[in-house]
Amino acid sequence: MIGPEFNITHPSIYRTSTANPFVLAGLVYESIPHWVRRYARIRPDYSFPSSMISDFKKISLSNSELYTVLLLATFFTMLRYYLQVRLESWTQQHNIYPRFAHKVPESFWKLTYYGTVWMFAFYFHMCVESHDIFKDPLSMWVEWESGHKPKMHWQVQVIYAVQSAFYIHSIYATLFMDLWRKDSWLMFVHHFVALGLLFLSYVDNFTLPGVLVLFLHDNSDATLEITKLSFYLKKRTNGQYYKYYFLMGNAAFILFAIIWVIFRLYWYTCKLLYATIYGAVYLGPQDAPFFPLLGAMLLIIFAMNVYWFNFIARMIWRVALTGEDPEDNREWDTTAVSGLNQQKLDELATEKCHLKPKNV
């Protein structure tokens, strides 16, 4: 391994908590060509794709690492199937509308998972004194200054094992468990990109950027599921209406939109991309074989965040104009997509379920 070109205290390094996006654009304009020229000197015989294939062949993971992830993925899948059966029965007992019968278990599962892992990531970023990468993003490269791969923190190992297992499960779930939505194929691609990002950052030991990526994403997923669950639960087939679900859902929707803009668009750019597309070039190992691939994956994820924000903006606009409830306008059985009112959608869902009797 060839150590970093500079250390974090070097006067040429632009070090800040949150980079100015315009300054960052200029820095990246210089850092990427600099990395290309330097890598050409370090590996003058590099040729694509043969050299990349050779780098992949050098990857070595222990059986214990592989089995742990696969067992966790299997556990997540079995646990979700169990929750799905139990909660579908619960929806019948509590007079939930039939078109939400499958959505409630899906949202509950995702809320439980994303909420739990984000709280753990929050603990790591805010309470572990040895790592302060959220407030000082470039500090994620300090341990590389010794010229050796730094030791991986045990919390990082837990996050990587759990998240890798979850995305393996999610690839299966997108095809066989989740409702099919307008962006399901994009979600399918997203899960492969996320899994590839976790895998390559793990073998290159770029794990601190990896946990920051996850920290910046999972809270918005959790608040989205709170919004959806509140919408599903507020009105029942027996005529009952729970206003506190209505209030909670609207508050969660506003919070979701705010979190998306701050975490996934602003901080993702000004903290995460600043620390990687710029910082890693000068402060990380100079010969990391998968750096360009990891950088491309980070940019793909950012592009997906921008694309999904299009759905959020359109939802906000529709709610503001019509006063209707915020619906997931990626789903086919919604007023925004189908053009049918909610009463008609409920009637169609009831017919599809053949008026199944409630479980006792």
Side-chain angles (χ1 to χ4, degrees):
M1 188 199 88
I2 301 176
E5 187 172 357
F6 301 110
N7 61 46
I8 199 170
T9 58
H10 195 277
S12 66
I13 297 299
Y14 172 67
R15 185 180 184 183
T16 184
S17 174
T18 306
N20 181 303
F22 298 104
V23 174
L24 178 60
L27 294 171
V28 171
Y29 182 77
E30 296 177 356
S31 67
I32 297 303
H34 177 76
W35 179 89
V36 172
R37 292 190 297 267
R38 188 183 65 196
Y39 202 71
R41 294 195 302 269
I42 293 172
R43 296 184 65 176
D45 57 343
Y46 189 91
S47 62
F48 182 85
S50 58
S51 296
M52 180 172 286
I53 294 172
S54 177
D55 290 333
F56 272 105
K57 289 180 179 179
K58 296 175 184 177
I59 295 174
S60 177
L61 295 175
S62 68
N63 288 336
S64 62
E65 290 172 318
L66 292 172
Y67 292 150
T68 298
V69 171
L70 292 176
L71 285 172
L72 278 172
T74 303
F75 171 74
F76 286 154
T77 304
M78 298 305 295
L79 176 61
R80 182 168 172 189
Y81 271 122
Y82 171 77
L83 289 174
Q84 184 170 307
V85 171
R86 299 290 296 176
L87 287 173
E88 284 182 354
S89 174
W90 182 89
T91 60
Q92 293 184 20
Q93 294 171 7
H94 290 79
N95 304 299
I96 306 300
Y97 278 93
R99 69 185 174 110
F100 301 144
H102 190 78
K103 296 180 181 181
V104 168
E106 180 182 338
S107 287
F108 180 81
W109 159 252
K110 290 179 178 179
L111 172 60
T112 302
Y113 176 79
Y114 287 124
T116 302
V117 297
W118 188 80
M119 289 302 296
F120 187 80
F122 180 86
Y123 159 75
F124 175 77
H125 284 88
M126 302 300 170
C127 302
V128 177
E129 294 182 0
S130 59
H131 292 86
D132 196 20
I133 60 176
F134 179 75
K135 297 177 183 177
D136 184 11
L138 293 189
S139 67
M140 65 176 64
W141 305 110
V142 168
E143 294 180 351
W144 287 92
E145 293 177 3
S146 65
H148 303 283
K149 281 189 176 183
K151 184 179 179 180
M152 197 178 302
H153 205 285
W154 72 266
Q155 283 102 333
V156 174
Q157 291 178 315
V158 170
I159 291 171
Y160 261 70
V162 170
Q163 293 278 27
S164 298
F166 176 75
Y167 282 111
I168 291 173
H169 155 77
S170 295
I171 291 169
Y172 170 84
T174 300
L175 294 176
F176 301 110
M177 300 183 73
D178 294 349
L179 291 171
W180 196 256
R181 298 177 172 90
K182 292 169 70 175
D183 67 338
S184 288
W185 280 116
L186 183 62
M187 286 298 298
F188 190 69
V189 172
H190 168 271
H191 298 332
F192 272 104
V193 172
L195 191 59
L197 185 65
L198 287 165
F199 174 68
L200 293 179
S201 63
Y202 184 80
V203 298
D204 262 357
N205 205 13
F206 285 6
T207 50
L208 291 181
V211 295
L212 184 56
V213 172
L214 299 168
F215 175 70
L216 294 175
H217 282 74
D218 289 340
N219 55 352
S220 57
D221 290 317
T223 51
L224 173 62
E225 301 308 328
I226 293 173
T227 303
K228 293 163 72 172
L229 279 171
S230 300
F231 176 72
Y232 303 153
L233 300 179
K234 71 174 184 178
K235 189 177 179 182
R236 310 296 172 87
T237 57
N238 62 0
Q240 288 184 308
Y241 182 83
Y242 298 89
K243 188 174 182 179
Y244 55 84
Y245 281 127
F246 169 78
L247 297 174
M248 182 169 66
N250 280 277
F253 175 62
I254 294 170
L255 182 62
F256 163 69
I258 293 171
I259 287 175
W260 191 283
V261 171
I262 294 175
F263 281 75
R264 290 198 178 207
L265 299 181
Y266 179 62
W267 278 342
Y268 186 93
T269 302
C270 300
K271 289 183 180 288
L272 190 278
L273 294 183
Y274 155 66
T276 51
I277 307 299
Y278 164 70
V281 171
Y282 302 106
L283 304 176
Q286 298 183 49
D287 56 347
F290 301 116
F291 172 77
L293 196 54
L294 288 168
M297 288 179 175
L298 291 175
L299 293 174
I300 289 171
I301 290 175
F302 179 71
M304 290 179 178
N305 288 340
V306 173
Y307 171 78
W308 278 315
F309 185 70
N310 164 62
F311 287 99
I312 299 169
R314 286 161 57 190
M315 191 190 309
I316 293 171
W317 181 253
R318 185 177 63 82
V319 170
L321 288 181
T322 65
E324 296 177 356
D325 295 320
E327 292 183 304
D328 190 340
N329 52 17
R330 301 169 302 158
E331 297 177 355
W332 300 106
D333 61 339
T334 59
T335 300
V337 176
S338 68
L340 302 174
N341 61 38
Q342 293 181 14
Q343 182 178 353
K344 183 61 177 177
L345 291 170
D346 291 330
E347 290 173 359
L348 293 172
T350 302
E351 291 174 9
K352 186 176 180 180
C353 291
H354 303 294
L355 297 174
K356 294 180 181 178
K358 297 179 183 179
N359 295 332
V360 180

